């Protein structure tokens, strides 16, 4: 197909934190407390081509998991447009939306909490394809056996319960469940974070083999740059709800342009050379309840100037396919003349 398979245009996701009972009571006497708004995702533009593997990276609390859930249709966007194969998901018919929901599957971090402990694997994996009419009920058992084989599990285990498997095997069950509805796009949210390093490598290899065999597209969400480095075609860096840099994996690791990306790379233990060049990241990510004005990164940025505190930097193309949002690449960080 031509054009991206998935596009986000100015997508934001906000959550409202309701007032507690004491604040509501105080409001009866004119205290004026207001509900607080969490800006989890703030105006994200992103286009993903069919067959591409995009790594979405940032610290815990940067909004990457929320963005993944918006992509997977679990959370509706508060504003902006999500397009699947060019069509806005918000204007799809019920039938089109159902097809898109099946085509985009999410694989979660903790397989144990995302697998129903009271269901056998044959039902965990086989229920959705039967319910959605992809497989006749009579063929469910054989279909599940084939799915388990595809993800490297012994099909004879299909009558077991999740607690009878190791962490790596449960991760494979989660992948089999997603594959069972014949998706084209997988959103993997920290899908290997809970696994030992050797098991991580096996599951990452499985993802890449499935990409080759089935032509899958991936949005691979991780806080760990070393995990996404080897499997991503492109890496997108997020900070406090915004995309701050996006480039091919090789360009980003060779020459990160945003101070936040540089700091993240300095924290990757295997990249000794980067550690020498860039200051490691200090401090905590601010609360998305009260994001700093201007560039969200300015309280932690070693290169911040007066302009950074008041003006949001726009994403600018620095080289073909390489964009970053930093005033250093757009006239400097000094105060703008009035
Ligand atoms: Fe740092 Fe300013 Fe660039 Fe933000 S805009 S990353 S604060 S230099």
């Amino acid at each position: 197909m031509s054009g991206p398979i998935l596009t986000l245009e100015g997508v934001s996701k906000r959550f409202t934190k309701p007032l507690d009972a004491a604040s509501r009571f105080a409001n009866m006497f004119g205290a004026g407390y207001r509900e607080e708004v969490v800006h989890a995702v703030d105006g994200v533009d992103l286009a993903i081509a069919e067959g591409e593997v995009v790594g979405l990276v940032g610290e815990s609390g940067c909004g990457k998991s929320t963005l993944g859930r918006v992509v997977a249709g679990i959370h509706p966007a508060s504003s902006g447009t999500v397009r699947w194969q060019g069509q806005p998901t918000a204007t799809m018919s019920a039938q089109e939306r159902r097809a898109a929901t099946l085509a985009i599957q999410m694989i979660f971090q903790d397989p144990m909490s995302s697998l129903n402990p009271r269901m056998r694997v044959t039902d965990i994996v086989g229920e959705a394809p039967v319910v959605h009419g992809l497989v006749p009920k009579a063929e469910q058992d054989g279909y599940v056996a084939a799915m388990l084989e595809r993800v490297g599990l012994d099909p004879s285990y299909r009558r077991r319960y999740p607690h009878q498997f190791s962490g790596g095997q449960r991760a494979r069950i989660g992948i089999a469940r997603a594959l069972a509805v014949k998706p084209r796009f997988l959103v993997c949210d920290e899908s290997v974070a809970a696994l030992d390093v050797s098991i991580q490598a096996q599951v990452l290899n499985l993802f890449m083999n499935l990409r080759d065999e089935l032509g899958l597209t991936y949005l691979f969400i991780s806080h760990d740059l070393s995990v996404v480095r080897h499997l991503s075609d492109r890496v997108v860096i997020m900070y406090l709800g915004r995309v701050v840099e996006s480039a091919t994996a090789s360009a980003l690791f060779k020459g990160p342009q945003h101070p936040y990306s540089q700091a993240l790379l300095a924290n990757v233990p295997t990249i000794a050379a980067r550690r020498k060049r860039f200051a490691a990241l200090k401090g905590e990510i601010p609360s998305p309840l009260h994001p700093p004005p201007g560039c969200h990164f300015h309280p932690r940025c070693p290169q911040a100037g007066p302009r950074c505190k008041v003006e949001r930097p726009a994403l600018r193309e620095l080289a073909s396919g390489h964009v970053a949002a930093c005033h250093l690449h757009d006239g400097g960080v000094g105060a703008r003349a009035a």
Side-chain angles (χ1 to χ4, degrees):
M1 66 173 281
S2 60
I5 192 169
L6 182 111
T7 316
L8 306 181
E9 295 167 359
V11 165
S12 295
K13 180 64 190 176
R14 297 177 287 275
F15 298 99
T16 302
K17 187 175 166 221
L19 290 177
D20 58 22
S23 303
R24 288 200 305 275
F25 183 71
N27 273 354
M28 291 166 68
F29 300 95
Y33 288 115
R34 294 212 182 136
E35 290 177 328
E36 293 186 296
V37 177
V38 177
H39 300 267
V41 176
D42 185 7
V44 167
D45 296 314
L46 184 64
I48 300 179
E50 183 149 31
E52 196 177 17
V53 179
V54 174
L56 181 62
V57 179
E59 291 167 283
S60 177
C62 74
K64 57 192 189 303
S65 291
T66 303
L67 186 64
R69 282 167 165 75
V70 170
V71 167
I74 296 170
H75 292 325
S78 304
S79 57
T81 303
V82 180
R83 293 180 188 273
W84 172 247
Q85 296 183 286
Q87 193 182 353
T89 55
T91 61
M92 285 178 169
S93 66
Q95 195 180 4
E96 289 167 334
R97 192 180 296 246
R98 177 178 156 274
T101 303
L102 289 177
I104 308 172
Q105 288 293 304
M106 189 149 186
I107 298 174
F108 298 94
Q109 172 176 3
D110 181 0
M112 195 59 201
S113 63
S114 67
L115 302 176
N116 187 332
R118 286 183 291 277
M119 286 174 76
R120 294 180 192 273
V121 168
T122 189
D123 295 317
I124 290 172
V125 175
E127 190 175 64
V130 170
V131 167
H132 292 286
L134 302 173
V135 176
K137 178 72 182 162
E139 294 173 19
Q140 176 180 338
D141 201 46
Y143 186 71
V144 171
M147 283 296 127
L148 294 186
E149 234 169 336
R150 169 151 261 161
V151 299
L153 284 174
D154 185 335
S156 67
Y157 292 172
R158 61 191 183 280
R159 311 228 179 278
R160 296 185 181 181
Y161 292 92
H163 73 269
Q164 295 176 286
F165 293 88
S166 68
Q169 288 172 324
R170 285 196 289 265
R172 290 173 190 268
I173 295 168
I175 297 167
R177 178 179 57 181
L179 291 181
V181 293
K182 304 180 180 171
R184 296 175 59 192
F185 191 115
L186 291 184
V187 180
C188 302
D189 185 10
E190 301 279 10
S191 303
V192 297
L195 304 175
D196 293 344
V197 173
S198 62
I199 309 292
Q200 269 190 8
Q202 292 171 14
V203 175
L204 292 175
N205 281 340
L206 172 62
F207 279 129
M208 291 305 96
N209 291 341
L210 292 171
R211 175 205 195 181
D212 294 340
E213 288 167 20
L214 304 174
L216 294 171
T217 306
Y218 286 92
L219 179 63
F220 205 94
I221 299 169
S222 178
H223 68 283
D224 186 346
L225 268 171
S226 58
V227 166
V228 300
R229 182 180 193 189
H230 296 292
L231 58 86
S232 301
D233 300 314
R234 186 154 53 100
V235 177
V236 174
I237 309 281
M238 252 183 113
Y239 187 78
L240 213 55
R242 297 175 180 169
V243 170
V244 297
E245 186 161 5
S246 169
T248 61
S250 59
L252 191 105
F253 280 89
K254 212 186 306 167
Q257 296 299 310
H258 193 282
Y260 178 61
S261 313
Q262 294 169 354
L264 276 186
L265 260 67
N267 284 343
V268 178
T270 53
I271 308 176
R274 302 284 191 278
R275 183 175 283 184
K276 286 181 199 131
R277 279 170 47 205
F278 304 122
L281 200 52
K282 292 193 177 70
E284 297 289 317
I285 192 167
S287 165
L289 271 172
H290 307 288
C295 173
H296 284 346
F297 188 53
H298 82 254
R300 302 169 80 189
C301 180
Q303 300 179 70
R307 187 179 170 204
C308 307
K309 297 177 184 172
V310 293
E311 191 180 328
R312 174 179 179 166
L315 278 172
R316 291 174 64 84
E317 185 156 49
L318 309 178
S320 177
H322 192 156
V323 296
C326 175
H327 294 314
L328 291 170
H329 308 294
D330 180 25
V333 299
R336 280 277 167 104

